[in-house]
Amino acid sequence: MNNKQFRKMKTNNDLGLLIMRIVMAFTMLTYGINKLIHGISSIQQLLQSLGLPSFLANGVYVGEIIAPIMILFGYKVRLASLIFAFNCLMALLLTQTQNIFALNEGGGWAIEQLAIFIVIPVALFFTGSGKYSISRIGKSENVNCYES
């Protein structure tokens, strides 16, 4: 494919948003399911050691299971994205602040995954779900698909 053909390619922002939602939500769901199986006692202990109430650890279920499911299916993506990003920001602040300016063993940014898990949901907050979402079921083609 030459440069001229490449520039004429049709873009599909909605498909791009769907792919981004699927990959991000599925990846985070694996962490949430792991916490469902093995519990959140380590998070509760961390919060208690910082003088915070341990019940706040239950928020991880919202941020790592409920919000990703909402994002995956395209339901209230803007709200779910804010919850998702906040969950990851709290994980960063509670466990990774010492690594903000550090590199990992491979030379990459030590907090790259958390950074991605914070920035992509913020982008989804601004774009909305796109047309491939539950929020679009039953709506006419003229409705703005970026509202949810």
Side-chain angles (χ1 to χ4, degrees):
M1 178 179 281
N2 65 35
N3 195 20
K4 191 174 187 179
Q5 290 172 317
F6 187 74
R7 284 186 295 200
K8 288 185 177 182
M9 282 180 56
K10 185 178 177 187
T11 61
N12 188 336
N13 292 340
D14 295 307
L15 181 59
L17 288 169
L18 175 64
I19 292 168
M20 186 168 47
R21 286 187 2 240
I22 289 170
V23 170
M24 185 186 70
F26 176 76
T27 306
M28 182 56 76
L29 269 171
T30 60
Y31 288 100
I33 291 168
N34 183 58
K35 287 180 178 73
L36 270 178
I37 294 168
H38 300 288
I40 57 172
S41 61
S42 62
I43 299 170
Q44 291 170 325
Q45 291 170 0
L46 173 64
L47 291 171
Q48 285 177 335
S49 73
L50 296 170
L52 298 168
S54 62
F55 75 86
L56 291 176
N58 292 307
V60 78
Y61 295 125
V62 177
E64 294 185 13
I65 296 173
I66 296 171
I69 289 172
M70 290 171 67
I71 291 168
L72 183 65
F73 290 107
Y75 180 73
K76 302 289 183 188
V77 166
R78 290 187 169 174
L79 172 64
S81 294
L82 288 179
I83 293 167
F84 189 108
F86 180 77
N87 178 72
C88 293
L89 180 62
M90 290 301 99
L92 175 88
L93 294 174
L94 291 171
T95 66
Q96 298 293 318
T97 52
Q98 72 279 6
N99 293 322
I100 290 175
F101 299 107
L103 299 178
N104 62 26
E105 295 165 0
W109 193 17
I111 62 162
E112 63 190 13
Q113 186 176 20
L114 275 172
I116 290 167
F117 277 156
I118 294 168
V119 174
I120 289 178
V122 170
L124 281 174
F125 172 77
F126 289 108
T127 63
S129 62
K131 72 178 182 180
Y132 303 121
S133 66
I134 284 180
S135 296
R136 292 278 300 154
I137 293 175
K139 293 186 178 178
S140 72
E141 288 298 314
N142 296 329
V143 175
N144 183 354
C145 62
Y146 301 101
E147 292 177 356
S148 63

